[in-house]
């Protein structure tokens, strides 16, 4: 209920012909609480999308949105999103965006059922306060590791909103599990979704140093399916698995260039983003 947008109409009170919107996101920005906005739902009616210059409706709605919503003196310090290369190139050429990173896919090698793990999986129960506390505890262990970067908050309030209240959560498309060690202690939280015949890790919550180890354990426990993760290149060394395959997804992570704000030099490689940060996935 807190989305922001700018629209253009065919005439005063007429039909909307161009729209540029975003959804706010609480973040840790180099260790400090702040607010970003994820740009989403950018569209121009085809019959008025005649060109992409600075007189176009795309430019006018985008520039107005950036001026109103993103930068040092307005409500959201940062903007981010996941444009394809065509959209990114247009925005770069118009001086609206700059690039801060690339989005990568890491496909883990398939393991056989002969592999053994002393860890176990436990479904996360959204009605169990102990599970809420466990997610919050894991998040408190995770976010201090990102004082040299930027990460969206992943506490229980966000997790409930993203993976339980989300339409895909209501329809059962998300797998939401804790990873338990041999003593039954909760070590990590994983959120997954089927995507192109593999299990895609949407999110993981645990200390940064343990991510690789726990992803390996999850890969063993999910031996009926191949596992993959999408992650920003700047943090991709968190997943270093022998035999894994890395693919460029053709998605570049932008930042605002039009309105005064943190520079791309400061932001380059700083964002921790995974598939779960794409709110439409």
């Amino acid at each position: 209920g807190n989305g922001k947008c700018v629209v253009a109409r065919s005439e005063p009170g007429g039909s909307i012909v161009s729209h540029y919107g975003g959804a706010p996101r609480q973040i840790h920005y180099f260790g400090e609480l702040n607010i970003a906005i994820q740009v989403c739902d950018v569209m121009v009616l085809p019959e008025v999308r005649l060109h992409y210059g600075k007189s176009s409706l795309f430019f006018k709605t985008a520039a107005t949105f950036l001026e109103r919503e993103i930068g040092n003196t307005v409500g959201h310090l940062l903007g981010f999103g996941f444009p394809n290369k065509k959209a990114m190139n247009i925005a770069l050429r118009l001086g609206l965006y700059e690039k801060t990173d690339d989005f990568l896919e890491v496909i883990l090698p398939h393991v056989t059922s002969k592999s053994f793990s002393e860890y176990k999986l436990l479904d996360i129960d959204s009605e169990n306060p102990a599970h809420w506390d466990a997610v919050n505890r894991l998040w408190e262990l995770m976010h201090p590791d990102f004082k040299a970067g930027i990460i969206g908050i992943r506490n229980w309030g966000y997790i409930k909103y993203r993976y339980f209240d989300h339409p895909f959560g209501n329809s059962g498309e998300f797998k939401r599990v804790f990873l338990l060690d041999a003593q039954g202690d909760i070590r990590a939280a994983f959120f997954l979704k089927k995507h192109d015949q593999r299990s895609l890790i949407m999110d993981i919550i645990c200390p940064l140093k343990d991510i690789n180890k726990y992803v390996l354990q999850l890969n063993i426990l999910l031996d009926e399916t191949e596992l993959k993760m999408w992650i920003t290149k700047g943090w991709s060394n968190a997943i270093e698995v022998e035999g894994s395959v890395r693919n460029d997804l053709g998605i570049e992570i932008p930042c605002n260039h039009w309105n005064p704000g943190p520079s791309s030099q400061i932001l380059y490689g700083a964002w921790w983003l995974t598939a779960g940060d794409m709110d439409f996935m």
Side-chain angles (χ1 to χ4, degrees):
N2 195 30
K4 310 294 182 183
C5 73
V6 168
V7 302
R9 297 180 182 272
S10 58
E11 58 186 12
S15 300
I16 293 173
V17 296
S18 179
H19 176 280
Y20 192 106
R25 180 78 189 274
Q26 292 182 311
I27 62 171
H28 281 270
Y29 175 77
F30 298 102
E32 301 292 331
L33 289 172
N34 218 304
I35 302 176
I37 191 163
Q38 180 182 351
V39 173
C40 46
D41 299 328
V42 178
M43 44 197 163
V44 182
L45 206 63
E47 50 264 41
V48 299
R49 194 179 64 228
L50 303 178
H51 57 89
Y52 289 102
K54 290 193 174 181
S55 62
S56 68
L57 281 177
F58 166 73
F59 176 82
K60 291 176 181 178
T61 51
T64 302
F65 183 92
L66 297 179
E67 290 164 8
R68 288 181 55 176
E69 301 294 345
I70 303 174
N72 291 332
T73 60
V74 289
H76 311 93
L77 179 65
L78 304 178
F80 71 101
F82 304 90
N84 60 36
K85 288 196 174 182
K86 178 183 178 182
M88 182 70 171
N89 287 338
I90 292 168
L92 288 170
R93 190 170 69 246
L94 293 174
L96 295 168
Y97 300 167
E98 285 191 285
K99 177 180 173 179
T100 65
D101 214 336
D102 294 284
F103 217 32
L104 302 180
E105 176 182 69
V106 181
I107 301 175
L108 277 69
H110 185 63
V111 296
T112 68
S113 57
K114 294 179 182 178
S115 301
F116 173 77
S117 173
E118 63 181 9
Y119 290 80
K120 294 181 180 179
L121 298 178
L122 173 68
D123 287 338
I124 299 174
D125 180 1
S126 64
E127 302 298 321
N128 187 339
H131 286 193
W132 312 346
D133 292 343
V135 169
N136 286 332
R137 178 182 60 80
L138 291 170
W139 170 240
E140 289 301 317
L141 292 171
M142 182 178 190
H143 74 74
D145 296 336
F146 291 85
K147 287 183 178 179
I150 309 165
I151 185 170
I153 287 177
R154 286 157 163 80
N155 60 14
W156 173 251
Y158 171 77
I159 292 301
K160 181 178 183 298
Y161 161 79
R162 181 64 180 86
Y163 295 109
F164 290 89
D165 299 340
H166 191 286
F168 290 162
N170 291 327
S171 64
E173 293 185 51
F174 292 138
K175 187 176 182 67
R176 304 154 299 203
V177 293
F178 288 125
L179 182 72
L180 279 58
D181 64 17
Q183 288 72 45
D185 294 326
I186 294 172
R187 296 300 182 185
F190 284 99
F191 305 89
L192 304 105
K193 182 177 181 286
K194 289 289 186 182
H195 184 269
D196 291 342
Q197 311 303 314
R198 293 186 173 97
S199 285
L200 173 64
I201 298 175
M202 302 289 289
D203 259 317
I204 175 174
I205 310 175
C206 73
L208 180 64
K209 65 179 176 60
D210 295 327
I211 286 177
N212 198 68
K213 173 175 66 176
Y214 292 156
V215 167
L216 281 169
Q217 295 301 321
L218 180 70
N219 197 33
I220 294 170
L221 293 166
L222 296 178
D223 63 352
E224 79 283 358
T225 182
E226 288 189 319
L227 189 63
K228 64 181 180 179
M229 184 171 181
W230 295 353
I231 188 170
T232 33
K233 186 177 181 180
W235 291 95
S236 61
N237 60 356
I239 306 293
E240 295 284 354
V241 178
E242 185 178 353
S244 61
V245 175
R246 297 186 173 227
N247 299 316
D248 184 347
L249 288 168
I251 297 171
E252 297 174 329
I253 309 302
C255 69
N256 156 55
H257 180 62
W258 184 252
N259 207 35
S263 70
S264 59
Q265 288 79 15
I266 293 172
L267 303 177
Y268 203 92
W271 268 109
W272 169 277
L273 296 169
T274 62
D277 292 299
M278 308 171 84
D279 68 339
F280 51 87
M281 281 290 294

